[in-house]
């Protein structure tokens, strides 16, 4: 079976996380991703958060699977000449430099179109046009400016960022969709185009339900939020702890062993359609005949009491025992799974969601696999490249002779 993006060549000028997330996804789908790195230095993440001395960090290896590495000094004349050949050779260029970095190198969008009119030029930026356009952005900055932090956290407490990388990796996923969309458009237009995705925009897109609630708030209190009916609402969508954020109330409750196990919890959603079974399971069949409890509207002012009663029951069972009881009753619930539990989960290995990879310097390590499964296009996960591992073969592919390659090395261009 062929890979979905086989034959597509990606000029990967990205670094750290947002851009590499995008290009790794394209590489998993079969694109030939040429990662351009500074000679002798490489992507900064190769040396960040190292757990083993003098080898590529997991930060790097888990974001750069299936790629080839080419070292190139794009500031030198020889390096710029090679970079021009790479633009001619590739279908897509992806970068997440600070605003204007490629322009200063002499490769603005107009110049790139002159070199290769079919080139798709994709960029991750912190912000779109506006007052913050030139500002530097990191993951948590994106979460704070995109609406995630203001709506995450305990009630009446400080804003919190989430552990999920919705700013960096989330924006990389958005950009990958933009790239394949532009590739499809090029298949009938014959022309490349500019693709941009701002991290603020990407985070806000993932926070759309909170923008929904901002507009609902103008017409009255948000009745599914814990602040209703006894708390107060301000002018903006509030933080709501572990409330579900939808029309079906949910909360995280303790399970057996919570005193010593920081992850002995489960999320339970009291979906109306499954409430009868839930009430019977926790020993509250009496709720079903009580007008204070037997309708969703009646339960809204009593959500705290309801989850306290649910928790009394869940504290007598492990999170997996709770799952075994509630799942057959169609009660939506999910255990709080630690990273250790996920890493050891056999089903995730079988589906390729977690993959063990062998690296020539650091040995075997776990990495994430492609979360998107295609029935006829496999997405195998290969190790990340060593710095400059494929420099010679890539330079030969774009037309350099052995003598020209040696000359480029002598000049410090590669």
């Amino acid at each position: 079976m062929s890979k979905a993006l086989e034959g597509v060549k990606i000029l990967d000028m990205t670094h750290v996380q947002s851009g590499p997330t995008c290009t790794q996804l394209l590489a998993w789908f079969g694109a030939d991703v040429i990662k351009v790195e500074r000679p002798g230095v490489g992507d900064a993440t190769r040396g960040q958060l190292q757990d083993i001395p003098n080898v590529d960090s997991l930060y790097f290896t888990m974001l750069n699977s299936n790629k080839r590495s080419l070292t190139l000094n794009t500031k030198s004349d020889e390096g710029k000449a090679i970079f021009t050949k790479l633009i001619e050779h590739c279908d897509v260029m992806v970068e997440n430099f600070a605003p204007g970095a490629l322009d200063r190198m002499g490769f603005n969008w107009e110049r790139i179109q002159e070199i290769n009119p079919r080139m798709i030029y994709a960029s991750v930026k912190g912000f779109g046009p506006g007052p913050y356009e030139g500002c530097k952005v990191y993951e948590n900055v994106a979460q704070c400016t995109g609406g995630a932090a203001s709506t995450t956290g305990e009630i009446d407490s400080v804003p919190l960022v989430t552990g999920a990388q919705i700013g960096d990796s989330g924006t990389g996923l958005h950009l990958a969709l933009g790239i394949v969309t532009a590739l499809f458009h090029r298949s009938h237009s014959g022309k490349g185009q500019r693709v941009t995705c701002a991290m603020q925009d990407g985070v806000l897109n993932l926070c759309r339900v909170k923008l929904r609630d901002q507009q609902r708030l103008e017409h009255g209190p948000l009745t599914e939020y814990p602040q209703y009916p006894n708390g107060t609402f301000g002018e903006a969508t509030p933080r709501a702890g572990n409330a579900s954020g939808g029309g079906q109330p949910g909360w995280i409750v303790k399970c057996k062993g919570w005193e010593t196990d920081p992850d002995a919890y489960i999320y339970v959603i009291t979906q109306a359609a499954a409430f009868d079974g839930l009430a019977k399971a926790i020993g509250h069949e009496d709720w079903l005949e009580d007008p204070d409890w037997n309708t969703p509207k009646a339960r809204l002012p009593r959500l705290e009491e309801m989850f306290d009663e649910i928790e009394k029951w869940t504290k007598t069972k492990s999170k997996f025992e709770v799952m075994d009881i509630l799942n057959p009753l169609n009660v939506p619930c999910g255990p709080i799974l630690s990273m250790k539990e996920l890493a050891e989960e056999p089903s995730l290995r079988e589906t390729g969601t977690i993959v063990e990879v062998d690296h020539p310097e650091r040995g075997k390590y776990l990495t994430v696999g492609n979360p998107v499964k295609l029935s006829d296009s496999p997405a195998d996960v290969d190790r990340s490249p060593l710095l400059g591992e494929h420099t010679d073969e890539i330079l030969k592919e774009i037309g350099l002779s052995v003598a020209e390659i040696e000359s480029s090395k002598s000049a410090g261009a590669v």
Side-chain angles (χ1 to χ4, degrees):
M1 291 185 288
S2 63
K3 302 291 183 71
L5 294 179
E6 196 170 303
V8 175
K9 294 187 179 297
I10 310 289
L11 181 54
D12 183 4
M13 303 293 292
T14 69
H15 59 290
V16 191
Q17 185 175 169
S18 60
T21 296
C22 168
T23 53
Q24 178 172 255
L25 186 61
L26 301 174
W28 282 335
F29 283 126
D32 178 13
V33 176
I34 300 171
K35 184 175 181 69
V36 177
E37 302 183 76
R38 287 186 297 163
V41 179
D43 189 316
T45 58
R46 286 185 183 270
Q48 290 180 354
L49 305 177
Q50 285 179 317
D51 57 314
I52 303 174
N54 303 316
V55 301
D56 290 337
S57 72
L58 289 168
Y59 195 1
F60 177 84
T61 62
M62 294 179 70
L63 284 161
N64 291 283
S65 301
N66 296 52
K67 302 178 184 180
R68 296 194 290 166
S69 173
L70 161 76
T71 54
L72 184 65
N73 178 7
T74 53
K75 294 182 180 180
S76 70
D77 290 340
E78 294 90 341
K80 288 180 179 179
I82 292 171
F83 188 53
T84 300
K85 285 183 175 292
L86 287 166
I87 294 173
E88 292 172 346
H89 178 73
C90 292
D91 299 286
V92 181
M93 181 168 70
V94 190
E95 59 90 14
N96 61 333
F97 292 126
L102 277 178
D103 291 7
R104 292 190 293 274
M105 287 168 47
F107 293 93
N108 59 22
W109 174 225
E110 290 72 25
R111 175 61 181 143
I112 291 168
Q113 285 182 303
E114 289 175 4
I115 299 168
N116 183 356
R118 291 175 56 82
M119 171 64 76
I120 292 161
Y121 175 16
S123 302
V124 170
K125 297 302 175 191
F127 298 96
Y132 309 121
E133 185 174 2
C135 297
K136 182 180 285 188
V137 176
Y138 283 90
E139 168 67 41
N140 290 348
V141 174
Q143 289 193 33
C144 290
T145 58
S150 69
T151 55
T152 303
E154 293 299 326
I155 302 163
D156 298 326
S157 188
V158 299
L160 291 178
V161 295
T162 176
Q165 304 295 285
I166 62 174
D168 275 320
S169 288
T171 305
L173 299 176
H174 283 103
L175 189 69
L177 175 59
I179 288 169
V180 294
T181 303
L183 282 168
F184 179 77
H185 182 267
R186 193 185 72 176
S187 68
H188 55 82
S189 72
K191 296 181 180 180
Q193 61 180 300
R194 194 81 169 82
V195 180
T196 59
C197 190
M199 292 172 69
Q200 182 187 44
D201 298 357
V203 171
L204 180 56
N205 186 46
L206 298 176
C207 293
R208 70 191 69 164
V209 298
K210 300 301 182 179
L211 182 59
R212 172 203 68 190
D213 292 347
Q214 179 64 42
Q215 296 170 87
R216 292 174 56 223
L217 189 58
E218 297 172 5
H219 301 283
L222 305 173
T223 56
E224 78 280 10
Y225 275 60
Q227 287 87 343
Y228 178 83
N230 301 315
T232 58
F233 288 89
E235 295 181 344
T237 306
R239 292 181 277 285
N242 288 313
S244 69
Q248 310 294 337
W251 203 255
I252 290 177
V253 291
K254 297 171 181 174
C255 294
K256 187 177 182 179
W258 67 272
E259 298 93 341
T260 57
D261 181 354
D263 298 305
Y265 294 83
I266 192 167
Y267 199 99
V268 178
I269 296 177
T270 58
Q271 185 181 26
F275 186 77
D276 287 11
L278 174 62
K280 291 175 183 177
I282 68 171
H284 268 294
E285 192 169 354
D286 57 297
W287 283 354
L288 304 181
E289 303 300 326
D290 187 339
D292 287 341
W293 290 96
N294 61 6
T295 66
K297 186 175 181 179
R299 290 191 290 272
L300 280 176
R302 298 172 174 80
L303 292 183
E304 184 175 354
E305 180 183 353
M306 179 181 68
F307 284 110
D308 284 345
E309 291 300 307
I310 292 171
E311 187 172 71
K312 289 178 183 178
W313 176 75
T314 59
K315 284 167 69 174
T316 68
K317 296 170 174 56
S318 75
K319 59 191 179 185
F320 298 110
E321 290 172 335
V322 175
M323 284 280 288
D324 289 341
I325 294 170
L326 295 187
N327 269 328
L329 302 175
N330 291 320
V331 176
C333 58
I336 307 306
L337 296 178
S338 69
M339 280 298 150
K340 185 176 187 296
E341 289 170 318
L342 289 167
E344 296 172 353
E345 173 54 48
S347 65
L348 296 179
R349 303 288 187 96
E350 291 168 7
T351 61
T353 299
I354 292 180
V355 182
E356 186 176 75
V357 181
D358 200 2
H359 190 277
E361 293 183 347
R362 68 173 299 121
K364 293 182 178 179
Y365 65 95
L366 293 184
T367 188
V368 292
N370 194 339
V372 183
K373 322 296 185 187
L374 301 184
S375 62
D376 292 334
S377 302
D380 301 320
V381 176
D382 300 322
R383 66 167 176 87
S384 60
L386 302 175
L387 178 61
E389 181 177 351
H390 307 94
T391 296
D392 285 13
E393 72 179 38
I394 293 169
L395 293 179
K396 289 175 184 176
E397 288 172 10
I398 64 174
L400 271 68
S401 67
V402 173
E404 288 172 324
I405 293 172
E406 291 305 316
S407 174
S408 297
K409 290 180 179 178
S410 298
V414 295

